[in-house]
Amino acid sequence: MKIITVTNFKGGSGKTTTSAYLAHAFAAKGRSVVVVDADPQGSALRWSEQGEWSIPTLALPVKDLHKRLVGIVSASTGIVVIDTPPLEDQAGIVSSALRIADVAIVSMAPTMGEYERLPEVWAAIDNVEPLRATPLVAAVLMNRTVTNANSTPMFRELMTEEGHTVLSTTIPRREPIAQAFGGPVTELGKYAAAADEIETLGAGR
Ligand SMILES: Nc1ncnc2c1ncn2[C@@H]1O[C@H](COP(=O)(O)OP(=O)(O)O)[C@@H](O)[C@H]1O
Ligand SMILES: [Mg+2]
């Protein structure tokens, strides 16, 4: 089983969208996937219900997710995708979701507004390290990128120079993705490549 926690400091950084699409991309690869909605707002849960997803989705917006999850998700599950609330609002829940994760995916748009809040995400990851058996593998997945804009390589370089892993796959800004909430997730686009890349990160359990 590999547990993937999708996180960021702020709301509106694409966490729920990324969680939804990655879950479907892993399912399309034949993995047995469960989505855990750890955001009390319940967006992923509502999306799954309205969109009639075939992927099991449950809400677990609690600070002791790291204790509960293994007992709740069946051992035959291949991939668990945890959608989280903004770290700025629910640090306890996010810490728990980082503690149990094998991989943290930081979803962010390549803008200064999102970039300048990343140190708080790296700090939250550092803070759970003593509570973990193995180091957490973390990678940035840039989304809402604009084709040929120099913001994408610029922020990639900044984050890479700081020693962070940035997935080579980026998710472009697309109208169907913007309008996807509440429907079935069918067109995976670049999320298929992102899922391939994420599967090569970290060991899993
Ligand atoms: N690749 C994309 N292209 C266009 N719009 C996107 C894309 N990714 C996310 N969005 C939009 O950005 C907004 C915030 O995304 P959301 O996943 O709800 O963020 P969060 O869960 O971090 O609050 C939503 O309106 C969503 O539709
Ligand atoms: Mg969300």
Side-chain angles (χ1 to χ4, degrees):
M1 183 188 295
K2 185 175 264 193
I3 301 177
I4 300 165
T5 292
V6 180
T7 190
N8 204 335
F9 185 71
K10 296 182 78 67
S13 59
K15 295 180 296 297
T16 300
T17 305
T18 299
S19 300
Y21 276 83
L22 282 181
H24 283 81
F26 283 114
K29 282 160 66 78
R31 304 291 174 268
S32 158
V33 182
V34 170
V35 173
V36 173
D37 187 353
D39 187 346
Q41 301 251 341
S43 304
L45 187 71
R46 280 203 311 287
W47 187 348
S48 73
E49 185 182 29
Q50 291 168 14
E52 300 182 2
W53 295 359
S54 57
I55 298 173
T57 302
L58 56 108
L60 218 48
V62 289
K63 298 189 189 78
D64 60 354
L65 197 58
H66 58 284
K67 290 185 195 156
R68 298 188 196 220
L69 197 62
V70 173
I72 289 173
V73 174
S74 115
S76 63
T77 304
I79 302 276
V80 178
V81 178
I82 306 179
D83 182 27
T84 63
L87 176 62
E88 65 176 336
D89 298 337
Q90 300 280 355
I93 294 176
V94 175
S95 291
S96 181
L98 292 172
R99 192 169 164 181
I100 188 74
D102 298 295
V103 176
I105 294 298
V106 180
S107 65
M108 60 94 72
T111 65
M112 198 45 86
E114 296 207 6
Y115 170 76
E116 69 163 16
R117 305 319 292 267
L118 289 180
E120 278 136 309
V121 178
W122 307 128
I125 290 172
D126 287 344
N127 288 339
V128 298
E129 287 300 351
L131 308 169
R132 297 172 48 85
T134 56
L136 177 55
V137 175
V140 173
L141 174 54
M142 284 193 274
N143 65 49
R144 289 163 291 157
T145 58
V146 174
T147 309
N148 295 329
N150 61 18
S151 52
T152 308
M154 185 187 101
F155 285 102
R156 174 186 300 287
E157 196 178 321
L158 282 173
M159 292 185 281
T160 306
E161 277 175 3
E162 291 163 5
H164 301 298
T165 302
V166 182
L167 297 186
S168 64
T169 306
T170 63
I171 310 298
R173 184 195 318 225
R174 289 282 180 269
E175 184 62 12
I177 301 178
Q179 301 300 333
F181 184 89
V185 177
T186 48
E187 289 296 315
L188 297 170
K190 297 289 287 299
Y191 280 105
D196 288 341
E197 223 182 310
I198 290 166
E199 268 207 326
T200 68
L201 298 170
R205 59 192 68 208

